[in-house]
Amino acid sequence: MSVVEEPQFWLAIGILIKNYHALNKKIFEVVITQVQKQEDGQLCDSTQEELERALREQPERRTCKGFTIGFKLLSKKLKDNILATGFVDFQERSYKCQFATDLFEDFSVRLNGGQLELDSQQTGWQEFVLKSKLLSWSQSKPDETKVKSLGLVNVEKYNDLYKELKQKHSQRLLQYWQTAEESTDPLKFIYEDLAIAAYLMVLWGQTQTEPKAFADLGCGNGLLVHILNAEGYKGYGYDIRKRKLWSLYPEETSKNLIEQAVDPNSFRLDFPEIDWLIGNHSDELSPWLPVLAGRLSTNFFLLPCCPYELSGAKFQRRNTSISAYQDFFHYLLKVSEQCGFETLQDRLKIPSTKRLALLGLKRTTGDTQNLEYFVREELQKYKIGDPKNEIITIKLREKDERVRNCTQVDRSILDGLVLKIFRLLLASHEDSWSGRLSMRDIAQSLSKEELSGIKSECGGIKTLLRNKHEVFQFCGGDLFGIRKPQATAVPHPRLTTKKRDCFFKLHHPLGCPLDDAECTFIH
């Protein structure tokens, strides 16, 4: 059983106080509304900073007996937020939380002899959620470099507006998706763009930088433009390729979606009133957002995703001691600062793994000479030919998106390759189900002619093997093996008629290990 020291206990309680939403999925965020400290039998007004400092101090150095903390728990779905009170007692080495509603159960935590003693009517939650989190938090180390979520906006205003936008728009937007027969996940895109719209609207109001008009560069399906237009903000979307959804939006949005490539060498705004640029997962345009904003004298909001250089080439790592995403984000921060912006950072709460945002609200200098010098230096790294030539080609996305997933290769070629690789795996092990081969071994066993048939298809052999997941399985590293069919614990509902022959019934020396009734393919 884990032993918890007193400093570790108060470290965990400090995290709990600010992160109750990590214990309850109904809560979006915690807002501390009041802090009071207990001195000489009286409660005196205090601050969150003093509370955090006291939790970190050694017991003998503390000057108060404890704290009383007022909370507002921001609900994800309930109309009203929830009030609660927390009690820190240094002498008893305990923390208690009481809620002003019967929807949530009060609880308490006490440190006794190096063990956590918890009291709550929800015994399952207490043991497997609360205790588990506290033990984890007690071992954590503060990360001073981590960007705080929603640090630039009023969280309560943001949450209230986000709930309002979901109630107002989500059903209609879902209907647009179904009408357009979009293959992408509507809930992810709809809720993500509603959250981004809510964030921008609160940010603009707080900073008094409401746009006269905005331009979303690389707007894709145009959903963010539509939401902001519907909320009364004038703005336009630019993308190299028109989407089906564009024609379904009301005219006030559809007329503002412009099918046009954004070439950084020549891009000019069609509408002089635009004073905000938006880059929402804008891929190749992401590093260019600060540059274009500097050239056009606008503010910018950038939520980067796929990493690219200014040249349009895939991003080259600068610092391998951090994650690839953090490395790219630091690069974008450098670009923004080189463009003269006082750059702010924030972490959004959206259904995406890419949540870090950069904002340029004002430039520290209006000089564009340094900006252009920096851009030329960056692009020169990829320049081919005469170094005196000032025209540097930037790799832009093609208008017609090429399908590159092996589906365009002739079926007979694919079937032949699948069967050959399958037989190689069979021969690699005496157990006909246990063969494993590396990608290199598989490639070396194929002829140049066989490889040339799929070498340009976005991964080639690897994509082929992953697409045939009913035959092959990824075994970690670069190893692939044969996927032995398994009967599901719950019988598969016969919602559709079997359409394809069972590969193993036809080609495995032992046939298919499943009965006809268990297998989802034709025997």
Side-chain angles (χ1 to χ4, degrees), residues 351-419:
S352 172
T353 57
K354 307 298 189 293
R355 299 192 291 270
L356 294 177
L358 285 177
L359 297 102
L361 298 185
K362 64 178 180 179
R363 293 186 70 197
T364 56
T365 173
D367 181 19
T368 60
Q369 185 173 354
N370 288 336
L371 182 157
E372 297 300 341
Y373 176 78
F374 168 74
V375 170
R376 283 197 300 271
E377 287 293 303
E378 283 294 303
L379 293 178
Q380 195 68 53
K381 299 174 184 176
Y382 300 91
K383 191 173 177 182
I384 300 174
D386 184 0
K388 296 180 180 179
N389 181 11
E390 292 299 322
I391 300 176
I392 301 173
T393 302
I394 300 168
K395 183 181 178 182
L396 298 173
R397 180 173 297 188
E398 297 176 359
K399 182 174 182 178
D400 296 322
E401 190 171 27
R402 185 182 174 190
V403 178
R404 290 165 58 86
N405 61 359
C406 285
T407 60
Q408 306 304 301
V409 180
D410 185 88
R411 174 56 57 185
S412 62
I413 296 176
L414 291 182
D415 290 344
L417 282 171
V418 167
L419 188 56

Side-chain angles (χ1 to χ4, degrees), residues 114-132:
Q115 302 299 318
L116 297 179
E117 294 182 350
L118 294 87
D119 182 22
S120 169
Q121 293 184 13
Q122 301 181 48
T123 54
W125 174 83
Q126 168 185 300
E127 185 68 23
F128 298 109
V129 179
L130 177 58
K131 188 174 183 178
S132 174

Side-chain angles (χ1 to χ4, degrees), residues 92-127:
E92 293 293 328
R93 295 192 295 181
S94 68
Y95 174 75
K96 183 187 296 183
C97 189
Q98 296 179 340
F99 300 94
T101 175
D102 293 334
L103 295 174
F104 298 92
E105 295 289 344
D106 299 343
F107 68 88
S108 64
V109 185
R110 181 169 177 263
L111 182 65
N112 185 12
Q115 302 299 318
L116 297 179
E117 294 182 350
L118 294 87
D119 182 22
S120 169
Q121 293 184 13
Q122 301 181 48
T123 54
W125 174 83
Q126 168 185 300
E127 185 68 23

Side-chain angles (χ1 to χ4, degrees), residues 3 37 77 116 153 181 188 196 260 332 335 343 372 392 419 439 452 470 484:
V3 175
K37 62 181 177 180
K77 294 183 178 180
L116 297 179
V153 297
E181 297 181 347
K188 178 189 183 301
I196 295 170
Q260 175 185 324
L332 296 177
V335 172
T343 310
E372 297 300 341
I392 301 173
L419 188 56
M439 284 292 303
S452 65
E470 72 273 21
K484 186 175 182 179

Side-chain angles (χ1 to χ4, degrees), residues 76-91:
K76 287 183 178 180
K77 294 183 178 180
L78 298 175
K79 182 179 180 181
D80 297 321
N81 296 318
I82 297 161
L83 299 180
T85 307
F87 303 92
V88 171
D89 190 327
F90 289 129
Q91 293 181 325

